RNA sequence: GCGGCGGUCGUCUAGCCUGGUCUAGGACGCCGGCCUCCCAAGCCGGAGAUCCCGGGUUCGAAUCCCGGCCGCCGCACCA
């Protein structure tokens, strides 16, 4: 089975059995949009729960979950930098149809920087300099902007422009103060969110891998850059496989294996919290059915990084058809976002931290002898004071040493200035927290999970999903459906399973083999069969999806047994 | 966005070149019945197709032509 075949089969299975399919199919579909079916919705929910466990609940002493809107006013994305950095000026060749980044094209041709120029400006430069398509020499069309943000309006007035968020992060930044105060002012603090985001990709292909609307699972982790605290690396042990930007820029694909704390010590990962959350991401991937050697952290090159990031690692996983696919991004966003929101909103986003010991600092200050100036210059004194006010200590010292100076035609004696030492006691300090961000795409994880779980056994599909992720946990079958007593017992077990909070399937249709095959195909890990022996001794068989083995167990212990297996 | 190829029951497909015999055939799956105490068994019956959408040519279009949508491949794009 080739890699492409396998992908085709997964997509086929997904549509046939109800994991996912292209949206709006009855109207011909819409590129970049997918529906999740009954099984897909359950699977995604289980992935979300697992993520929540790893990134929030296991860290609930420092990470909290919030929810913010999908739509945000324009100013948020002006502050975040997305309106600038998410908008590309592009120009199309009217002859061959090739599309170029207009500013990059002009940079290449004319050797001058044009970043930040508007489309009209760029168009007139193209016309004025007679720039042609570098590929075919054809005439270029007018420059247009392409923005990956989806635009909309709030309320009836067209000028109230708003955008659909391309990441959940901005909600965490704009509500940082609220969350921080409600969490009693403690750092480090992670704010997590699961939500829909939208990116107007120019040309989404790759099916479920690149969507125009998807679910992001994100943590913005805030910490004090000077005293970041110590992550407990022993919680998620193991090595990370890293492909550094340095190696990539030299054209190498040497993957190094290091413990996260060593990667920090060796300067490979810039920040210890960034490294810590990467180790959590690795452990999370393991639970999704990925072995450590199937996961790779690729450091992005400076030109590949988002505008807000100082260092970024993509967590890559190899799947059939598409090869290495990014399942999460790990960015060191520094204080970029909070500082920008401070500037645009005027809100103080700094955090106050008391020093363990107040620090006494001695600073030297320039003191102006106002009395003397008044005496000497009378009404002109304020003008001179104004001029002297901005002197630095070293400049004032020089004037004193040189016995005075001349300002605006007035001779200033050295006695007009003196240097004083001032003691200041600092009890705390204010700073803008720094942020590292682990960010996952839920639908991609769903595809990765299916890809890893998909197997075929003599022409039959067996979806070997980790039981925790399986949409349905058990199936219950009466061996001989026309036998009422078997049906009654089977239905009772099915109802007990539902009462216990499990997802279960009851099926009495077709031969037993067919029923097993049906549930294997959708990854049900345990199948319970009620046979004549059940009537005699109250035992039923549990059949395992992956091994086809069966064990016998008391019917009233089945639910407990399964719950135990899933915990 | 550009170029190439493609789109027929849930799925895979026959038919398209060479228009009518297509009220669109088959297989698998699905549903009902019979049979069967354990891995897609068999038999009987049934439901299921806007032939991707729109327009054109023609007496007549799944079939030929044009436009669109969607998918795949290449180029471009992908913070």
């Amino acid at each position: 089975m080739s890699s492409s075949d396998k992908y085709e089969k997964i997509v086929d299975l997904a549509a046939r059995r109800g994991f996912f399919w292209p949206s709006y199919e009855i109207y011909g579909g819409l590129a970049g949009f997918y529906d999740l079916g009954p099984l897909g919705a359950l699977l995604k929910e289980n992935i979300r729960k697992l993520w929540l466990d790893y990134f929030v609940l296991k860290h609930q002493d420092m990470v909290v979950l919030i929810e913010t809107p999908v739509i945000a006013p324009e100013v948020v994305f002006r502050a975040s930098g997305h309106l600038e950095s998410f908008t590309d000026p592009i120009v199309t060749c009217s002859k061959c149809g090739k599309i170029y980044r207009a500013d990059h094209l002009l940079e290449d041709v004319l050797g001058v920087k044009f970043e930040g120029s508007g489309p009209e400006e760029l168009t007139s430069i193209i016309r004025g300099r007679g720039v042609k398509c570098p590929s075919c020499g054809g005439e270029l069309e007018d420059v247009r902007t392409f923005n990956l943000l989806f635009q909309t309006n709030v309320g009836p007035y067209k000028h109230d422009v708003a955008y659909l968020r391309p990441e959940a992060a901005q909600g965490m930044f704009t509500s940082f103060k609220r969350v921080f105060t409600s969490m009693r002012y403690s750092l480090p603090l992670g704010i997590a969110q699961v939500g829909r985001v939208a990116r107007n990709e120019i040309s989404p292909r790759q099916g479920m891998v690149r969507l125009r609307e998807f679910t992001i699972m994100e943590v913005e982790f805030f910490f004090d850059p000077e005293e970041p605290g110590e992550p407990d690396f022993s919680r998620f042990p193991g090595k990370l496989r890293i492909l550094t930007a340095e190696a990539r820029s030299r054209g190498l694909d040497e993957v190094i294996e290091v413990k996260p704390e060593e990667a920090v010590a060796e300067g490979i990962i810039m920040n210890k919290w960034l490294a810590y959350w990467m180790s959590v991401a690795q452990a999370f991937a393991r639970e999704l059915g990925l072995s450590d050697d199937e996961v790779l952290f690729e450091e992005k090159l400076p030109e590949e990084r988002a505008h807000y990031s100082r260092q970024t690692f993509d967590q890559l996983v190899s799947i059939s058809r598409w090869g290495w696919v990014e399942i999460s991004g790990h960015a060191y966003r520094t204080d970029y976002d909070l500082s920008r929101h401070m500037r645009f909103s005027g809100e103080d986003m700094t955090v106050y931290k008391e020093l363990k010991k107040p620090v006494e600092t001695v600073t030297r200050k320039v003191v102006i002898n106002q009395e003397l100036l008044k005496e000497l210059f009378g009404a002109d004194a304020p003008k001179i004071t104004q001029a002297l006010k901005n002197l630095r200590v070293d400049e004032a010292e020089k004037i004193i040493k040189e016995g005075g100076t001349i300002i605006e035609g007035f001779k200033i004696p050295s006695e007009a200035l003196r240097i004083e030492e001032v003691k200041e006691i600092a009890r705390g300090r204010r700073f803008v927290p720094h942020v590292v961000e682990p960010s996952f795409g839920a639908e991609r994880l769903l595809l990765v999970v299916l890809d890893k779980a998909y197997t075929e056994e003599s022409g039959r599909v067996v979806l070997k999903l980790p039981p925790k992720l399986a949409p349905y946990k058990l199936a219950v079958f009466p061996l001989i459906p026309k036998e009422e007593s078997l049906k009654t017992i089977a239905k009772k077990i099915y109802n007990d399973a539902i009462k216990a909070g499990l997802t279960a399937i009851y099926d009495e249709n077709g031969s037993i083999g067919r029923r097993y095959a049906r549930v294997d195909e959708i990854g049900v890990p345990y199948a319970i069969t009620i046979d004549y022996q059940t009537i005699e001794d109250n035992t039923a068989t549990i059949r395992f999806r992956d091994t086809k083995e069966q064990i016998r167990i008391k019917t009233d212990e089945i639910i407990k047994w399964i719950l135990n297996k899933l915990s």
Side-chain angles (χ1 to χ4, degrees), chain A residues 120-235:
Chain A
E120 295 83 9
E121 196 182 335
L122 291 167
T123 303
S124 71
I125 295 167
I126 287 172
R127 297 280 173 268
R129 299 294 211 92
V131 177
K132 298 275 189 294
C133 171
S135 167
C136 75
E139 206 67 42
L140 295 169
E141 293 173 2
D142 283 357
V143 176
R144 354 177 235 128
T145 55
F146 186 82
N147 195 321
L148 266 61
L149 294 173
F150 277 101
Q151 200 184 61
T152 186
N153 298 290
V154 174
Y157 298 103
K158 279 282 177 212
H159 56 263
D160 289 335
V161 170
Y163 296 89
L164 274 63
R165 62 182 178 187
E167 56 171 10
Q170 295 312 318
M172 281 83 121
F173 296 128
T174 53
S175 57
F176 170 72
K177 276 187 79 177
R178 280 280 183 203
V179 180
F180 183 63
T181 47
S182 69
M183 290 303 289
R184 292 165 52 210
Y185 308 95
S186 66
L187 285 184
L189 169 66
I191 309 181
Q193 183 166 193
V194 179
R196 300 292 277 188
V197 299
R199 302 173 183 190
N200 200 2
E201 302 282 357
I202 293 174
S203 155
R205 294 235 185 111
Q206 306 170 54
M208 284 276 282
V209 174
R210 221 162 118 210
L211 298 172
R212 285 188 166 129
E213 185 185 326
F214 60 98
T215 302
I216 218 165
M217 305 189 294
E218 222 162 52
V219 179
E220 303 307 317
F221 192 78
F222 299 83
F223 58 89
D224 177 350
E226 282 178 39
E227 296 169 40
E230 275 311 315
D232 182 1
F233 285 106
S234 70
R235 290 186 69 188

Side-chain angles (χ1 to χ4, degrees), chain A residues 244-256:
Chain A
T244 63
E246 195 267 331
R248 291 181 64 213
S249 66
R250 288 190 291 131
L252 302 174
D253 53 2
E254 282 171 4
V255 174
I256 51 169

Side-chain angles (χ1 to χ4, degrees), chain A residues 17 475-483 487 490-491 505-519 528-529:
Chain A
R17 296 306 310 269
V476 192
F477 308 138
L479 186 60
I480 309 297
K482 71 171 184 187
E483 206 67 58
K487 270 166 80 165
K491 280 182 176 164
I505 288 171
Y506 172 83
D507 192 356
E508 54 178 51
N509 192 334
S511 72
I512 192 70
R514 182 181 296 272
R515 283 179 270 165
Y516 285 140
R518 275 202 280 254
V519 296
I528 318 299
T529 302

Side-chain angles (χ1 to χ4, degrees), chain A residues 98 111 124 148 151 232 273 284 293 312 316 370 388 394 398 439 447 451 467 477 488 532 554:
Chain A
K98 284 214 165 111
S124 71
L148 266 61
Q151 200 184 61
D232 182 1
W273 284 112
F284 175 59
D293 56 0
T312 301
L316 306 180
Q370 308 251 18
L388 291 172
D394 59 315
K398 198 174 159 218
S439 171
L447 184 65
D451 189 77
F477 308 138
T488 308
Y532 287 118
K554 289 272 181 198

Side-chain angles (χ1 to χ4, degrees), chain A residues 279-398:
Chain A
S279 77
V280 180
Q282 171 108 336
F284 175 59
R286 238 173 261 144
E287 287 259 24
L288 297 172
L290 294 155
S291 61
D292 283 0
D293 56 0
E294 290 178 298
V295 178
L296 174 66
F297 289 93
E298 182 188 68
E299 185 183 357
K300 304 320 281 181
L301 299 169
E303 62 269 27
E304 294 171 333
R305 284 200 304 259
H307 59 278
Y308 48 68
S309 178
R310 188 177 291 172
Q311 187 179 36
T312 301
F313 292 88
D314 280 353
Q315 187 182 19
L316 306 180
V317 169
S318 184
I319 62 169
S320 48
R321 180 68 161 259
W322 308 118
W324 290 100
V325 160
E326 176 195 343
I327 57 165
S328 75
H330 299 260
Y332 180 22
R333 299 181 75 134
T334 67
D335 61 352
Y336 175 86
D337 297 273
L338 284 183
S339 296
R340 296 271 298 189
H341 283 299
M342 259 174 86
R343 201 182 320 152
F344 280 73
S345 67
E347 278 289 324
D348 180 16
M349 301 277 197
T350 59
V351 164
Y352 177 79
K353 200 170 193 175
E354 238 173 65
L355 296 169
K356 288 181 194 78
K357 252 198 287 181
V359 175
E360 204 182 85
T361 50
V362 179
T363 48
R364 302 193 328 137
K365 235 170 108 177
V366 180
V367 177
I368 300 162
N369 189 342
Q370 308 251 18
E371 297 285 308
L372 181 65
L373 291 180
K374 215 186 229 169
E375 234 173 77
L376 292 174
F377 308 113
D380 292 320
K383 202 163 70 186
I384 293 161
T385 308
Q386 213 55 36
L388 291 172
K389 236 162 108 178
N390 293 324
L391 284 177
R392 293 195 310 267
V393 171
D394 59 315
E395 290 167 335
E397 269 182 330
K398 198 174 159 218

